[in-house]
Amino acid sequence: MTTVIERTDVLVIGSGFGGAIPAYHLAAGGAKVTVLERGPELSAQDFAHDLRMGGYTRAVDLVQGDGITVVAGNCVGGSSVVYFAASLRAPGFVFERRGGLGRRLWPAALTRDSLDPWYDRVEEAIPVARQSWDDVPYPGGLFAAACDRAGRSCNPVPLAVDLATCTNCNWMLNGCRFDAKRSMLLNYLPAATAAGAEVRPLHEVQTIAPAVTPGYRYRVAYSVLDGTDYRVPAGAGLIEAKIVVVAAGAMATPVILRRSAALLGSMPRAVGRHFSGNGDRVSIADVDETKVRDLLGLERAPGVPYEGFPVGKPIGSMSYDRLDADAPEFSRFSLQQIYFPGITNVLAQATDDPATSWFGPEKKALRARWRSWLSVLAMTEDDNEGVFGPPPPTGAAVRLASSLSLSTLRYRPNANTLRGWAEADREARAVLEKDGLARVRPWSGFAGSVSAHPLSSCRVGDDPATSALDDRNELRGHPGLFVTDASAVPTSLCVNPSLTVAALAERACPSIVERAAEAGVDVRYGAPSPDGGTAARNAALRTLQGSGR
């Protein structure tokens, strides 16, 4: 039987921040755009407020590697649907990082100043809201009070949330049934489809190969997945494109590219290397309710000082005190108040004794005080130690269940990364254990490191030996093949990465448009923001003109 080969101008693999943004700009510019998304298509009515299997597991992937567990999105809209919406620009010193290699890791053309116009584009499109202290949930206020008492500063966190619509339900991991969280479902993706882009859910890309049709560059093979069990194939197909944008996420993009090497020719050595978990380090503080009253003078309700761990939005406040550009690398980090649902309770250590840390009476007693917890996320400077092994026969990882996969990623934190984690642990204890306010216990143990911010597995850079992409996000040696997701980010960022991932995708779009035009696509760059805003667009155009692009 002959397989029908479809054709499109631009094929985008993935529909999160890295995929939705180029899909919009290319479609709005006149190109025929097709988006293949591995996960299902969900909307507000599908986001239930429970943790039943078959609910959140439809959209969230738990990927187990060797030494690390990664949480990622798996649906139309990608991780933007399940993230906690903290939207921060990376500190300027991040772009000058040298890491264990001892030389600048970001391309010379990429600095905080040069990325600011593209941050502006994203903030105008989403947009990002600035919380006041009246918007910050009670746990964020408790963390701020503890910081103040310990002589540290603390500030509300900017969020991609419509604060007027948000009900503070604290179910962001399950999407947003009130459409208050400004995921890609509410801006770039609907604007892309309105401009003619086609989004196909449950389409998992397997390989990229040379096209067989004159005028087309790449042929992409995909599987269609069953909507109730992603392990079951329901079909397959081929589609050719003049331009391919890979935005399958830092856990999938390098796997697709490595599997495609036998068809496309050699891949840059950096594909699947230099993975970063954004230096994520989570600690649980078991808070003493009496000390909350006596030391901080707080009361959430009459006679109840705190017991507010699950109250409000997942992220409220943050201390930036340790983001000092003059401090040595691997000693800089931020501390952020964050909420994780009850399913993660097992990760909290009950004691310092390995024999009683995970099970037994101490663990049961700790979990019984769950409402008096406060969790803190440190985002540190790790050293990009992760390396992917050979790709599995299909998919990005071996899927054991609908939301559980086994990856070939191996992660062993080195002395530099461990130093950063230790510094963050000391600071968390200095703030939260002062005068017995709380007892701090870092997440660790059987799961190894845990990250919700996978980065850098196919990173941009100037050095071909250590970066897979050039400074315009094009894969070295493969013209017209771009990578625009979190895998392109060269290093950990010390803050939540979503806004930087989106800004880098925005920045790559003019280059993708340029390549598409060279390939004969009738397309131009310059669309306004999805809601029609033009201020940030006009500033970005001036930036391009000033650079000669």
Side-chain angles (χ1 to χ4, degrees):
M1 189 175 85
T2 303
T3 301
V4 175
I5 301 177
E6 300 178 77
R7 295 176 184 87
T8 190
D9 291 336
V10 179
L11 182 68
V12 180
I13 303 170
S15 61
F17 292 103
I21 290 171
Y24 165 63
H25 283 291
L26 272 295
K32 180 182 179 183
V33 176
T34 305
V35 181
L36 302 184
E37 166 57 51
R38 179 184 62 186
E41 185 171 22
L42 305 172
S43 57
Q45 61 267 25
D46 299 308
F47 301 133
H49 285 179
D50 62 55
L51 291 175
R52 296 177 184 175
M53 300 295 287
Y56 78 98
T57 55
R58 296 174 65 192
V60 178
D61 260 350
L62 190 68
V63 186
Q64 180 69 57
D66 179 2
I68 190 168
T69 299
V70 174
V71 182
N74 181 52
C75 57
V76 173
S79 291
S80 79
V81 175
V82 300
Y83 82 138
F84 291 168
S87 300
L88 300 109
R89 301 187 183 199
F93 67 77
V94 162
F95 299 89
E96 306 301 325
R97 288 195 57 198
R98 301 172 67 85
L101 292 175
R103 55 183 180 274
R104 195 177 192 274
L105 299 176
W106 287 72
L110 261 168
T111 65
R112 168 58 189 272
D113 287 346
S114 71
L115 198 56
D116 274 337
W118 309 104
Y119 277 127
D120 291 342
R121 286 226 71 176
V122 179
E123 290 188 347
E124 181 179 66
I126 290 180
V128 174
R130 309 292 168 179
Q131 291 189 97
S132 69
W133 282 114
D134 290 336
D135 299 311
V136 171
Y138 201 83
L142 174 61
F143 182 60
C147 285
D148 182 65
R149 190 171 185 277
R152 274 72 168 180
S153 66
C154 192
N155 291 279
V157 177
L159 300 175
V161 170
D162 181 345
L163 298 176
T165 304
C166 179
T167 65
N168 287 295
C169 70
N170 222 345
W171 283 97
M172 275 192 179
L173 180 68
N174 295 45
C176 182
R177 67 185 308 169
F178 306 107
D179 279 342
K181 179 167 60 175
R182 289 161 168 158
S183 71
M184 297 294 98
L185 299 179
L186 300 183
N187 34 69
Y188 286 99
L189 280 177
T193 56
E198 180 187 8
V199 180
R200 301 183 187 180
L202 299 171
H203 281 57
E204 182 177 67
V205 168
Q206 304 299 340
T207 58
I208 305 170
V212 298
T213 304
Y216 289 79
R217 187 171 275 137
Y218 297 107
R219 184 181 78 242
V220 172
Y222 62 83
S223 302
V224 181
L225 305 182
D226 182 88
T228 56
D229 188 342
Y230 305 148
R231 296 169 293 180
V232 178
L238 297 170
I239 186 166
E240 292 188 333
K242 298 175 180 179
I243 298 292
V244 171
V245 178
V246 188
M251 297 297 290
T253 287
V255 179
I256 294 170
L257 294 178
R258 281 190 167 186
R259 187 185 294 122
S260 302
L263 303 168
L264 286 177
S266 64
M267 286 287 151
R269 187 175 183 274
V271 171
R273 296 178 180 270
H274 311 299
F275 171 90
S276 164
N278 199 40
D280 285 2
R281 175 76 164 173
V282 179
S283 295
I284 294 293
D286 180 14
V287 178
D288 185 322
E289 293 279 340
T290 300
K291 294 293 181 69
V292 171
R293 181 192 64 218
D294 295 345
L295 298 178
L296 303 181
L298 299 180
E299 187 177 69
R300 186 173 65 83
V304 180
Y306 176 45
E307 292 186 358
F309 182 48
V311 176
K313 295 179 284 292
I315 294 174
S317 62
M318 187 168 180
S319 176
Y320 305 98
D321 288 357
R322 295 297 296 272
L323 297 179
D324 180 359
D326 295 327
E329 193 171 359
F330 304 110
S331 70
R332 300 171 293 199
F333 57 86
S334 61
L335 288 181
Q336 185 177 84
Q337 169 268 320
I338 193 168
Y339 167 78
F340 293 97
I343 197 170
T344 61
N345 284 355
V346 68
L347 297 172
Q349 290 189 18
T351 72
D352 293 322
D353 181 356
T356 59
S357 178
W358 296 103
F359 303 98
E362 293 89 350
K363 188 59 171 280
K364 187 173 182 179
L366 179 66
R367 293 183 63 205
R369 297 191 298 274
W370 177 67
R371 294 184 66 86
S372 296
W373 287 6
L374 180 79
S375 53
V376 176
L377 168 64
M379 287 167 280
T380 71
E381 296 173 296
D382 71 7
D383 207 11
N384 297 82
E385 299 97 327
V387 178
F388 284 81
T394 62
V398 176
R399 192 169 287 278
L400 306 177
S402 287
S403 64
L404 178 63
S405 298
L406 188 63
S407 172
T408 63
L409 174 65
R410 184 178 187 273
Y411 188 79
R412 293 289 186 272
N414 65 19
N416 289 330
T417 296
L418 293 174
R419 174 189 172 193
W421 288 350
E423 292 268 2
D425 288 350
R426 280 192 289 271
E427 179 70 358
R429 290 191 172 99
V431 170
L432 293 168
E433 292 188 343
K434 183 177 174 60
D435 297 323
L437 175 65
R439 183 185 62 172
V440 175
R441 298 289 180 189
W443 274 6
S444 62
F446 70 90
S449 173
V450 180
S451 174
H453 301 137
L455 306 169
S456 308
S457 53
C458 195
R459 63 187 183 181
V460 298
D462 289 332
D463 180 6
T466 59
S467 60
L469 314 174
D470 65 20
D471 66 0
R472 297 189 178 193
N473 289 69
E474 194 168 31
L475 186 67
R476 297 184 187 281
H478 299 278
L481 184 52
F482 291 83
V483 174
T484 55
D485 57 21
S487 68
V489 179
T491 66
S492 58
L493 302 174
C494 294
V495 297
N496 312 72
S498 60
L499 198 69
T500 300
V501 173
L504 289 171
E506 279 279 7
R507 180 182 178 274
C509 285
S511 296
I512 302 172
V513 168
E514 182 180 346
R515 275 291 194 204
E518 291 173 358
V521 179
D522 185 11
V523 62
R524 63 185 61 196
Y525 178 80
S529 293
D531 67 354
T534 59
R537 185 274 309 269
N538 294 342
L541 288 174
R542 288 193 295 271
T543 297
L544 291 174
Q545 292 165 359
S547 66
R549 292 174 63 186

